[in-house]
Amino acid sequence: MNQFTKAKYISYMAMLLTLIVVLSIFESMLPPFPMIPPGVKIGLANIVTMYTLFFIGKKEAFILNIAKGIFVLITRGVTAGVLSLCGGILSICVIILLTFIFKKKISYMILSIMGAISHNIGQLIAIIIMMNNKYTVYYLPVLLIAGVIMGSITGILLKTLLPVLSYPLKERNK
């Protein structure tokens, strides 16, 4: 990889990380939606992670997830940072596994839903370990339902934004 290409790659990754940070901050500023259980979020930043995973690469998706976890750790504390990291890593792993098993026969919507559900499960596992409280698992049904709903929202947003998000890729392939 020549210096120009390397600089372009680093700039593109920095732009994606910036987008993740901005979406994360924006989402934390939103007022709580009525009737939404505690801890449930849309997961807007996960749209960028899924885009990265599908169109840039697995390694880059993990790098962005780790960088996001570090950002959350610095801005919201250790617990939030660990939850972000655990949820994100499990989510990426599940999406990779599903795309490997089903190849191109699985939709972005299903991948988004499964990613959201696994993100919630990863966070729940982390909470159970950190709090040493197995009873937290009783929150799982709420998190599964929330994962389906929020995963559907992020899946729709990803599908809607794909034409715009794929523009840099088209430019890169010229």
Side-chain angles (χ1 to χ4, degrees):
M1 185 183 304
N2 65 38
Q3 287 301 101
F4 180 73
T5 308
K6 192 173 186 178
K8 215 171 174 181
Y9 171 82
I10 291 169
S11 298
Y12 195 62
M13 289 293 289
M15 182 197 66
L16 290 172
L17 179 59
T18 301
L19 189 54
I20 285 173
V21 168
V22 167
L23 288 171
S24 181
I25 292 169
F26 172 74
E27 188 171 16
S28 69
M29 292 170 45
L30 291 175
F33 294 107
M35 311 277 292
I36 300 286
V40 173
K41 294 184 184 176
I42 298 171
L44 295 174
N46 296 334
I47 295 169
V48 180
T49 304
M50 286 188 300
Y51 163 77
T52 303
L53 180 60
F54 299 145
F55 298 103
I56 309 298
K58 296 175 186 115
K59 176 183 83 172
E60 288 80 1
F62 280 112
I63 289 170
L64 288 176
N65 182 68
I66 291 166
K68 177 188 171 198
I70 293 169
F71 167 75
V72 172
L73 174 88
I74 292 169
T75 58
R76 295 187 208 142
V78 174
T79 302
V82 169
L83 294 179
S84 174
L85 198 58
C86 291
I89 287 175
L90 185 59
S91 177
I92 292 170
C93 290
V94 166
I95 291 172
I96 290 170
L97 179 64
L98 290 172
T99 52
F100 177 76
I101 292 170
F102 295 104
K103 309 288 184 235
K104 297 195 185 259
K105 297 177 186 166
I106 190 166
S107 70
Y108 291 131
M109 179 66 75
I110 298 298
L111 290 172
S112 180
I113 290 168
M114 296 308 294
I117 288 171
S118 56
H119 194 280
N120 290 347
I121 291 171
Q123 290 184 328
L124 184 64
I125 292 168
I127 282 289
I128 290 169
I129 292 169
M130 289 169 60
M131 293 179 64
N132 195 21
N133 182 349
K134 63 183 180 224
Y135 297 109
T136 310
V137 79
Y138 291 122
Y139 203 56
L140 182 61
V142 171
L143 294 176
L144 293 176
I145 293 167
V148 170
I149 294 168
M150 298 309 172
S152 296
I153 292 170
T154 56
I156 290 167
L157 288 171
L158 176 64
K159 187 145 174 84
T160 304
L161 293 172
L162 275 179
V164 176
L165 293 173
S166 65
Y167 177 75
L169 295 175
K170 291 177 186 169
E171 287 297 310
R172 185 172 66 171
N173 294 331
K174 284 185 178 180

